[in-house]
């Protein structure tokens, strides 16, 4: 079924079905796609495709991935329009970040396809070497906050290394992946190598997690769901699991920081995509000597942010859904009830029926408050005052999460000490929320298992085989 979507005055044709074995398939016509039947797994089209894709010359795999990246650029305007309409992302942010980062991801892994190799070891009288082989059929489950980018983070390394994928997008944001499926077909991936399911988590997502003929699951989403996936994998076929989960990242501003830079990056740290970012800097700790100065400048920056729809050129768009909007408001209410001070904002914004929230700053917070412990996923930040480095590091690490963190200081020795002390997978010094996709990304503690991005993610998609050969 092809639907014509009118988005921001663009008319975009989009298939709105499942993409299985190289064809658009409508489940309502009784075509039951295999991943919904976890008990058999025998007809999984992806399994057949794996036999040939895993043996396809790596340079050919690279060529098709490079072609996909080119097609993404050619259809960039449609991808941006779809992504903004589906998520509420601002047009300027999606144009500057989501699309270019997604294209770069596909190109980066296209470049890796023909550079996968094992090692030989000098062993007298025998040949001893390793081979690195694709794992097989990979189930991939993505969240709603960065649908296009997370899609590319997932399929890029999997397809480059010779695996085949069955990917399930988040129920509230399936559209950019549907557009990508069209481009994937056009790029020339053989049928069955890429399969897309736009289903619900508890049905399609859970079916992937417990499927007996899926060899690996790569999940990005909440810690609660990550736990379910791990359980399902453990009680089915012990498929390999990698998890990219939530965060509650600390951002530490020391007395000697450049205040202008600290304000600029801390604002980006909490406001990127309306705070709906797993590594958002949602806990800001400011040293006492600079506290008043920072708070004044940061408040002015938060106040200056314009709020409006995705297309209006505003700094901040709507939250992704009514559910998220209401969840943010209830966490703001909990902050008030527990005794924090609403220094700025704290309310919804009534505007065209959209899901807008005022940029919000809490002060007088305590470590045990919900707003200091739980992901808010909104433009809501808590600011606390600290005295010593030792004290702030203890507070910063007092969290179940460990995705990211950062500090602002001109003292290099202190920057090194803080980078080492933070129990988090990514640390920023004098910046925040900046990723290239080339360094590994992932979480300590309950923020995940394994790493995405860079060379590091390749090992998630490869088995290593040791071969001993008596000559
Ligand atoms: P979510 O866990 O509710 O959903 C994520 C995906 O899992 C969706 O596709 C959903 O349909 C699916 N799902 C839900 N229940 C399932 C089940 N029982 N079995 C299998 N799949 C199931 O998360 P969300 O609300 O979509 O995304 C926001 C969360 O994602 C936040 O916690 C955020 O921190 C996290 N996130 C993490 C990263 C990272 O790289 N660490 C990146 C983006 C988002």
């Amino acid at each position: 079924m092809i639907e014509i979507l009118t988005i921001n005055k663009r008319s975009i044709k989009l298939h709105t079905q499942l993409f299985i074995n190289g064809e658009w398939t409508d489940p309502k016509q009784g075509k039951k796609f295999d991943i919904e039947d976890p008990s058999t797994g025998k007809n999984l089209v992806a399994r057949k495709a794996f036999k040939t894709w895993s043996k396809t010359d790596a340079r050919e795999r690279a060529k098709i991935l490079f072609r996909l990246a080119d097609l993404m650029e050619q259809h960039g305007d449609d991808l941006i329009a779809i992504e903004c309409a589906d998520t509420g992302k601002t047009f300027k942010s999606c144009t500057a970040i989501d699309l270019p980062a997604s294209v770069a991801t596909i190109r980066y892994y296209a470049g890796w396809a023909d550079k996968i190799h094992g090692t030989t070891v000098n062993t007298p009288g025998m040949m001893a070497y390793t081979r690195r082989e694709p794992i097989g059929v990979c189930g991939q489950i993505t969240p709603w906050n960065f649908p296009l980018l997370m899609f590319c983070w997932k399929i890029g390394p999997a397809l480059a290394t010779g695996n085949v994928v069955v990917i399930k997008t988040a129920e509230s944001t399936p559209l950019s992946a549907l557009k990508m499926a069209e481009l994937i077909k056009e790029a020339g991936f053989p049928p069955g190598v890429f399969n897309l399911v736009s289903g619900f988590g508890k049905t399609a997502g859970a079916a992937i997690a417990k499927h007996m003929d899926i060899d690996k699951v790569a999940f990005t989403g909440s810690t609660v769901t990550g736990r379910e996936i791990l359980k399902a994998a453990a009680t089915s076929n012990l498929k390999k699991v990698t998890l990219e989960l939530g965060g509650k990242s600390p951002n530490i501003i020391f007395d000697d920081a450049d205040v202008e830079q600290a304000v600029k990056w801390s604002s980006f740290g909490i406001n990127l995509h309306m705070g709906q970012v797993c590594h958002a800097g949602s806990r800001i700790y400011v040293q006492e000597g600079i506290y008043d100065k920072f708070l004044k400048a940061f408040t002015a920056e938060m106040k200056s942010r314009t709020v409006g729809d995705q297309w209006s050129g505003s700094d901040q768009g709507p939250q992704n859904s009514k559910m998220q909007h209401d969840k943010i408001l209830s966490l703001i209410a909990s902050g008030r009830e527990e005794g924090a001070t609403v220094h700025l904002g704290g309310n919804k914004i009534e505007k065209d029926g959209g899901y807008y929230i005022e940029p919000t700053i809490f002060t007088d917070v305590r470590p045990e408050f919900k707003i200091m412990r739980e992901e808010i996923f909104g433009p809501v930040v808590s600011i606390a005052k600290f005295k010593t480095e030792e004290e702030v590091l203890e507070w910063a690490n007092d969290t179940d999460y460990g995705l990211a963190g950062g500090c602002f200081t001109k003292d290099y020795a202190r920057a090194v000490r803080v980078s080492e002390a933070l129990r988090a997978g990514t640390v920023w010094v004098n910046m925040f929320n900046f990723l290239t996709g080339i360094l590994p990304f992932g979480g300590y503690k309950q923020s995940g298992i394994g790493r995405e991005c860079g060379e590091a993610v390749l090992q998630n998609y490869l088995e290593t085989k040791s071969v001993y050969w008596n000559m």
Side-chain angles (χ1 to χ4, degrees):
M1 186 197 294
I2 296 181
E3 288 190 26
I4 313 278
L5 306 180
T6 307
I7 302 174
N8 195 29
K9 300 190 193 121
R10 293 181 70 80
S11 202
I12 301 171
K13 279 189 201 165
L14 196 66
H15 282 273
T16 52
Q17 294 147 291
L18 311 176
F19 186 77
I20 307 288
N21 201 25
E23 296 298 334
W24 293 99
T25 307
D26 190 348
K28 287 190 191 127
Q29 289 171 359
K31 278 196 186 175
K32 194 175 173 201
F33 56 92
D34 304 317
I35 61 124
E36 278 199 331
D37 182 357
S39 59
T40 65
K42 290 219 171 97
N43 292 324
L44 197 77
V45 292
R47 177 65 57 200
K48 288 182 202 139
F50 177 64
K51 289 201 176 111
T52 46
W53 184 245
S54 59
K55 304 274 184 304
T56 300
D57 188 319
R59 285 165 298 186
E60 177 63 16
R61 292 202 301 262
K63 205 161 85 184
I64 303 175
L65 278 161
F66 277 125
R67 211 180 291 143
L68 174 62
D70 293 344
L71 284 167
M72 288 170 71
E73 270 175 348
Q74 283 163 30
H75 294 258
D77 290 344
D78 281 358
L79 281 168
I80 290 170
I82 288 169
E83 190 77 337
C84 291
D86 211 13
T87 60
K89 255 174 218 302
T90 61
F91 180 78
K92 63 179 178 185
S93 172
C94 198
T95 306
I97 299 173
D98 298 66
L99 182 72
S102 302
V103 173
T105 299
I106 297 299
R107 288 218 171 96
Y108 177 79
Y109 289 108
W112 266 113
D114 60 0
K115 295 168 193 69
I116 308 296
H117 52 75
T119 51
T120 55
V121 176
N122 292 343
T123 312
M126 67 168 68
M127 190 146 72
Y129 62 95
T130 61
R131 288 173 51 81
R132 299 183 79 199
E133 299 174 350
I135 291 178
V137 179
C138 299
Q140 304 184 313
I141 302 175
T142 55
W144 52 263
N145 58 346
F146 284 81
L148 179 61
L149 185 59
M150 292 299 110
F151 179 94
C152 293
W153 278 20
K154 291 276 181 286
I155 67 158
L159 296 176
T161 45
N163 294 278
V164 299
V165 306
V166 178
I167 188 162
K168 192 205 85 66
T169 47
E171 39 274 57
S172 66
T173 55
L175 298 185
S176 54
L178 290 166
K179 182 71 197 171
M180 284 296 290
E182 287 178 16
L183 303 182
I184 282 169
K185 188 169 173 145
E186 197 179 332
F189 286 91
V193 168
F194 167 84
N195 304 277
L196 170 66
V197 184
S198 314
F200 286 94
K202 290 210 163 16
T203 48
I208 287 176
K210 67 184 176 197
H211 201 289
M212 295 300 286
D213 202 27
I214 287 184
D215 305 295
K216 181 216 158 56
V217 65
F219 170 77
T220 299
S222 63
T223 299
V224 172
T225 309
R227 237 182 265 284
E228 290 299 312
I229 289 182
L230 209 49
K231 267 193 250 166
T235 50
S236 56
N237 63 340
L238 269 184
K239 56 179 68 63
K240 287 156 181 54
V241 179
T242 43
L243 302 174
E244 291 294 338
L245 309 175
K248 188 76 190 169
S249 302
N251 174 11
I252 307 169
I253 324 277
F254 287 98
D255 277 347
D256 65 347
D258 176 329
V259 175
E260 201 182 313
Q261 288 296 310
V263 166
K264 183 186 99 176
W265 284 105
S266 301
S267 171
F268 186 63
I270 189 60
N271 290 313
L272 174 63
H273 192 27
M274 287 64 81
Q276 300 165 138
V277 178
C278 49
H279 45 76
S282 52
R283 293 183 288 144
I284 300 184
Y285 298 97
V286 190
Q287 204 160 15
E288 55 187 0
I290 206 179
Y291 182 85
D292 291 341
K293 191 172 174 194
F294 176 85
L295 186 60
K296 191 166 170 224
F298 186 72
T299 306
E301 154 66 21
M302 290 290 270
K303 264 191 186 161
S304 75
R305 292 181 60 76
T306 53
V307 181
D309 70 59
Q310 301 93 307
W311 322 105
S312 62
S314 58
D315 300 320
Q316 183 181 314
Q319 305 303 135
N320 175 257
S321 64
K322 179 158 181 6
M323 200 177 87
Q324 284 304 314
H325 176 257
D326 294 352
K327 186 182 150 203
I328 295 164
L329 289 174
S330 92
L331 278 159
I332 291 176
S334 84
R336 282 195 173 99
E337 279 156 27
E338 289 188 297
T341 301
V342 180
H343 178 77
L344 180 75
N347 301 300
K348 62 178 168 187
I349 300 174
E350 301 290 354
K351 205 179 185 53
D352 310 323
Y355 308 128
Y356 298 97
I357 303 268
E358 286 178 337
T360 298
I361 302 174
F362 275 108
T363 53
D364 302 317
V365 287
R366 294 205 44 78
E368 66 274 15
F369 290 178
K370 246 180 166 180
I371 51 170
M372 290 293 277
R373 307 208 75 82
E374 290 185 19
E375 257 188 329
I376 300 179
F377 247 49
V380 180
V381 68
S382 298
I383 303 188
K385 197 188 287 185
F386 73 92
K387 282 192 174 70
T388 65
E389 183 180 319
E390 197 185 15
E391 166 187 70
V392 77
L393 286 173
E394 198 155 307
W395 293 349
N397 284 329
D398 177 20
T399 166
D400 292 337
Y401 294 115
L403 198 53
C407 73
F408 288 81
T409 178
K410 292 195 190 112
D411 179 340
Y412 284 12
R414 174 149 64 194
V416 170
R417 282 197 303 275
V418 173
S419 316
E420 285 178 9
L422 285 177
R423 304 278 302 149
T426 295
V427 174
W428 292 287
V429 178
N430 296 332
M431 63 192 324
F432 215 95
N433 264 1
F434 177 88
L435 295 178
T436 60
I438 295 175
L439 289 189
F441 179 76
Y444 282 34
K445 300 194 265 181
Q446 293 183 34
S447 285
I449 299 176
R451 291 291 179 271
E452 301 230 285
C453 299
E455 185 180 355
V457 71
L458 299 174
Q459 74 195 32
N460 295 349
Y461 289 102
L462 292 164
E463 297 277 20
T464 301
K465 179 183 285 173
S466 297
V467 181
Y468 295 92
W469 185 350
N470 187 355
M471 309 297 279

